[in-house]
Amino acid sequence: MTVLKNCRLLPSLTEGYDQPTGDIIIEGKHIQRICPPGTAPTDSGTTIDVKGATVLPGFFDLHAHLMFANQDYNASVLRSQNEYMLDSMEYARVYLKHGYTTIRDCGNDFYVGVSIKNAIERGIIQGARIITSGKIISPIAKGNKSFGTLYEEVDRPEDMMRVCRNEVVHGVDFIKYMITGAVLNESGEPGEMVTTPAEIQAIVEAADSLHTYVAAHCHGTEGIKQAIIHGVRTIEHASYLDDECIELLVKHGCRSSLVPTLSIAFSLFNHFFEGTILPEFMEKAKDACEHVIEGMKMADAAGITIGWGTDFDRENFEKYVGLEFTSRAKTGLPNEAILRQATINSAKIVGLEEKLGTVKCGKYADLAVVDGKPDEDLTVMKKLPLYVLKEGVLVAGTALQQEKSYE
Ligand SMILES: [Zn+2]
């Protein structure tokens, strides 16, 4: 048994307990009980006094790429397959340190996402819980080759079934598909479709028949509309939303969700990678970034579920702690709404809301203990969490370095 004492709890992220402070009792992998402060038994197991720090559910990154080690794409491609795997394993572990206990990898080569997911589930290595795609399925396009063999190119509706079956045979959880051009791709026009409606329909039907779904890279307005019409499950990046997109989302019963990725957009917008990427990438990002903020406000006002993505690389994820939180603060949405995007909203999008996404008795004890009050000030997210638990196990935390009594 593990007890977290003196927790500060947020009403919008806690279920079945309505007081602002409490003790959390963890038994095995799950939260067994939440009770008023000072009332949890502390005579057996491990007790951690979090001293009024805010206890949040573990975060989700629905748009991760474990293999992105830095923004140097050439060096990335030149790695051996073994190094590629090791770098990806390292990133899965780094996520824990940042309070992320579940990530969805939106494209990796050699099916390393599947291998790492299995290794984590077997307990061989430590890392965030993984939901993974395999290769990035795309029409033939010029920039694809600069990513080595990451892209699987396919151009006819009748070939979608074969490609999806191949992915599923390799053990992926979902299919990643390119509907529009990309920011970080030579000759890619984020606003323009690179595929046809018939191809989108075919890949969605193929994925559906294999009991999986399509997550589509989709910046441009027309691409977003086609994605919604044909039932793409998650619209990644979702940069250029307009009123008609919002209406379509609502009309189709919100079967499609949005996964904006502000970390990458903001770091490009603010020239964090100047000198290491092509100047044209920054220009494209600037425009996309300005639109995505407006789009998120519109979507939120219409009650559409907005999930959490970063699309970031390990080096910059480590360097700019909490960037996704501070970037989303620019939308002007309430902090608690932003915190819900990172947790329960994202859990719902991937169908894990019964097990994860809030602090609730019976759910997995995936928790990030944050120093400060993120509901009042999101800049506290620039500090790594004091403690991180995944399925009841203390896996990371800055407080662990100072205090040794928690073994
Ligand atoms: Zn991506």
Side-chain angles (χ1 to χ4, degrees):
M1 187 177 79
T2 303
V3 174
L4 297 187
K5 257 175 61 173
N6 299 316
C7 305
R8 179 174 179 269
L9 296 162
L10 303 185
S12 60
L13 287 171
T14 308
E15 291 185 88
Y17 182 82
D18 56 10
Q19 294 179 46
T21 53
D23 292 349
I24 300 173
I25 303 167
I26 297 159
E27 191 64 61
K29 295 180 176 182
H30 299 94
I31 296 171
Q32 192 204 50
R33 195 155 57 92
I34 310 170
C35 52
T39 64
T42 51
D43 48 354
S44 66
T46 308
T47 300
I48 303 170
D49 186 352
V50 308
K51 299 170 186 156
T54 307
V55 179
L56 300 170
F59 313 135
F60 285 71
D61 183 355
L62 296 186
H63 195 113
H65 290 284
L66 289 173
M67 87 304 186
F68 277 169
N70 56 47
Q71 293 294 325
D72 184 344
Y73 290 89
N74 291 329
S76 255
V77 171
L78 290 173
R79 283 175 296 179
S80 72
Q81 201 170 322
N82 289 346
E83 285 172 281
Y84 191 101
M85 167 73 100
L86 288 170
D87 281 342
S88 303
M89 282 165 54
E90 171 66 3
Y91 200 176
R93 197 183 59 81
V94 161
Y95 265 108
L96 291 177
K97 208 166 76 177
H98 291 251
Y100 286 77
T101 55
T102 309
I103 62 158
R104 193 178 63 148
D105 188 299
C106 280
N108 56 83
D109 207 353
F110 317 118
Y111 300 98
V112 296
V114 175
S115 304
I116 296 168
K117 172 190 165 140
N118 291 341
I120 290 169
E121 283 177 3
R122 287 166 63 196
I124 298 170
I125 57 169
Q126 204 171 52
R129 178 183 298 103
I130 292 177
I131 302 161
T132 190
S133 70
K135 286 180 181 284
I136 297 176
I137 312 301
S138 169
I140 292 172
K142 190 184 165 202
N144 293 355
K145 289 284 183 282
S146 57
F147 294 89
T149 53
L150 175 61
Y151 283 72
E152 177 73 31
E153 294 180 328
V154 55
D155 280 295
R156 297 186 310 161
E158 50 271 46
D159 288 339
M160 294 304 180
M161 196 66 192
R162 178 186 55 79
V163 169
C164 288
R165 280 193 180 122
N166 190 46
E167 291 299 292
V168 168
V169 161
H170 280 91
V172 306
D173 299 304
F174 69 99
I175 306 292
K176 171 71 185 296
Y177 186 54
M178 298 293 283
I179 287 185
T180 71
V183 171
L184 292 174
N185 189 328
E186 278 174 75
S187 79
E189 269 312 321
E192 280 176 22
M193 284 181 68
V194 293
T195 182
T196 65
E199 287 171 313
I200 300 170
Q201 184 180 358
I203 197 164
V204 169
E205 284 174 4
D208 192 48
S209 73
L210 296 165
H211 312 295
T212 182
Y213 66 89
V214 172
H217 167 103
C218 209
H219 287 287
T221 313
E222 186 53 29
I224 294 171
K225 286 175 192 166
Q226 291 299 330
I228 300 164
I229 290 165
H230 295 293
V232 164
R233 176 83 63 88
T234 60
I235 297 168
E236 308 296 312
H237 315 300
S239 304
Y240 296 94
L241 289 166
D242 67 4
D243 289 332
E244 210 183 318
C245 293
I246 303 291
E247 279 165 28
L248 277 172
L249 280 164
V250 174
K251 182 180 153 199
H252 286 278
C254 297
R255 65 181 175 182
S256 306
S257 299
L258 306 173
V259 182
T261 54
L262 266 64
S263 297
I264 188 72
F266 257 76
S267 48
L268 287 164
F269 184 79
N270 292 309
H271 295 210
F272 288 176
F273 316 141
E274 192 141 34
T276 57
I277 60 159
L278 296 174
E280 67 179 65
F281 291 175
M282 286 189 278
E283 272 312 302
K284 286 192 276 186
K286 190 170 182 301
D287 195 51
C289 194
E290 282 166 357
H291 280 85
V292 76
I293 297 286
E294 289 311 310
M296 284 172 72
K297 288 185 202 169
M298 283 159 55
D300 184 78
I304 290 154
T305 307
I306 301 173
W308 198 261
T310 68
D311 206 10
F312 229 11
D313 64 278
R314 190 187 77 223
E315 204 174 68
N316 287 294
F317 188 79
E318 285 265 65
K319 190 169 166 186
Y320 301 105
V321 176
L323 183 64
E324 193 62 35
F325 293 91
T326 54
S327 304
R328 290 194 188 215
K330 314 268 185 218
T331 59
L333 297 177
N335 289 353
E336 289 204 41
I338 292 170
L339 293 167
R340 284 176 66 84
Q341 292 172 4
T343 54
I344 186 64
N345 282 12
S346 292
K348 280 180 187 161
I349 289 171
V350 290
L352 290 174
E353 72 274 24
E354 299 293 322
K355 294 177 179 166
L356 294 161
T358 53
V359 181
K360 184 186 180 190
C361 167
K363 283 194 178 182
Y364 279 132
D366 275 31
L367 303 166
V369 182
V370 175
D371 188 13
K373 299 177 176 175
D375 47 316
E376 292 175 11
D377 176 11
L378 279 174
T379 62
V380 304
M381 302 307 283
K382 288 178 161 183
K383 286 181 292 183
L384 290 173
L386 296 167
Y387 303 97
V388 181
L389 290 95
K390 181 190 164 205
E391 294 186 9
V393 178
L394 196 51
V395 285
T398 53
L400 297 179
Q401 277 111 49
Q402 291 136 34
E403 301 173 54
K404 292 276 175 221
S405 54
Y406 303 116
E407 267 114 67

